[in-house]
Amino acid sequence: MENTNVKSLLDVAEILLTYKSNVKPSLRPKVNASRDAYNIFLENWDSKRIELVEQFKVLLLNRAQKALGIFEVSTGSTTGTIADPRMIFASAIKANACSLIIAHNHPSGNLVASQVDVALTRKIKEGGKLLEIPLLDHLIITTESYFHLRMKGCCDSKRPNRFDVF
């Protein structure tokens, strides 16, 4: 009887990491600049919600800067949403991403970055350095345009040949 009790105290869940894409590597879109990322995000954003509620998403990229997929981190209200860095990096690690681009929409159509946006960008950038999954950019998007926080110096890349349009 005692052996069963000891065994149950030592039982733990097995964690299995897997990733399977339904898109052939040759068909994945390449992201060379923030405009490419904006187009991918906009094409995959729910057009019925982009002007209704704020959402936060992450675009995961492989070593060739081809899109592996988009993960929706959160959906909030008309004035904000919560972006948990753990969820951002959990998705990146699960997809074996080599870099990432984050984005959120402003339902108001305002393309100005708040202090919260800048602080979050810096936090994700630092986490990316630690995990060796660099943050390439943070976009604020609307149906008409976008603003990228790289312009504010929040996301400087160590890869000079990539995102060289900035």
Side-chain angles (χ1 to χ4, degrees):
M1 193 79 144
E2 190 172 279
N3 281 347
T4 353
N5 221 5
V6 171
K7 183 174 175 14
S8 68
L9 292 175
L10 301 177
D11 284 345
V12 294
E14 179 180 347
I15 306 299
L16 177 66
L17 295 178
T18 61
Y19 170 79
K20 182 173 180 353
S21 175
N22 296 330
V23 180
K24 293 179 183 177
S26 61
L27 299 177
R28 294 177 185 151
K30 186 167 174 75
V31 180
N32 291 312
S34 61
R35 170 64 67 183
D36 300 331
Y38 170 71
N39 290 333
I40 292 169
F41 277 121
L42 195 59
E43 181 69 28
N44 290 280
W45 216 281
D46 183 348
S47 62
K48 295 175 185 165
R49 302 182 89 191
I50 196 166
E51 293 179 336
L52 178 66
V53 292
E54 196 166 305
Q55 294 181 295
F56 196 99
K57 300 184 182 199
V58 58
L59 175 62
L60 306 164
L61 304 171
N62 68 11
R63 186 164 170 79
Q65 282 190 218
K66 288 193 170 190
L68 296 169
I70 294 175
F71 175 68
E72 185 176 312
V73 177
S74 65
T75 297
S77 67
T78 56
T79 59
T81 191
I82 303 296
D84 184 347
R86 293 172 296 188
M87 294 302 294
I88 292 167
F89 287 111
S91 67
I93 291 168
K94 175 122 179 165
N96 202 26
C98 292
S99 59
L100 51 91
I101 298 171
I102 54 178
H104 73 282
N105 63 311
H106 280 177
S108 66
N110 180 359
L111 289 174
V112 176
S114 69
Q115 289 301 328
V116 172
D117 294 336
V118 173
L120 176 66
T121 304
R122 288 192 173 125
K123 181 186 274 190
I124 301 302
K125 178 183 169 186
E126 290 306 310
K129 281 182 184 176
L130 181 66
L131 296 171
E132 298 181 6
I133 306 172
L135 173 64
L136 300 181
D137 210 341
H138 180 176
L139 307 181
I140 298 172
I141 71 168
T142 68
T143 55
E144 296 180 318
S145 191
Y146 71 98
F147 173 80
H148 59 101
L149 273 81
R150 234 183 125 108
M151 291 168 55
K152 291 184 74 75
C154 294
C155 312
D156 48 278
S157 176
K158 290 187 177 184
R159 299 188 213 180
N161 298 335
R162 313 277 169 109
F163 277 71
D164 55 344
V165 292
F166 299 113

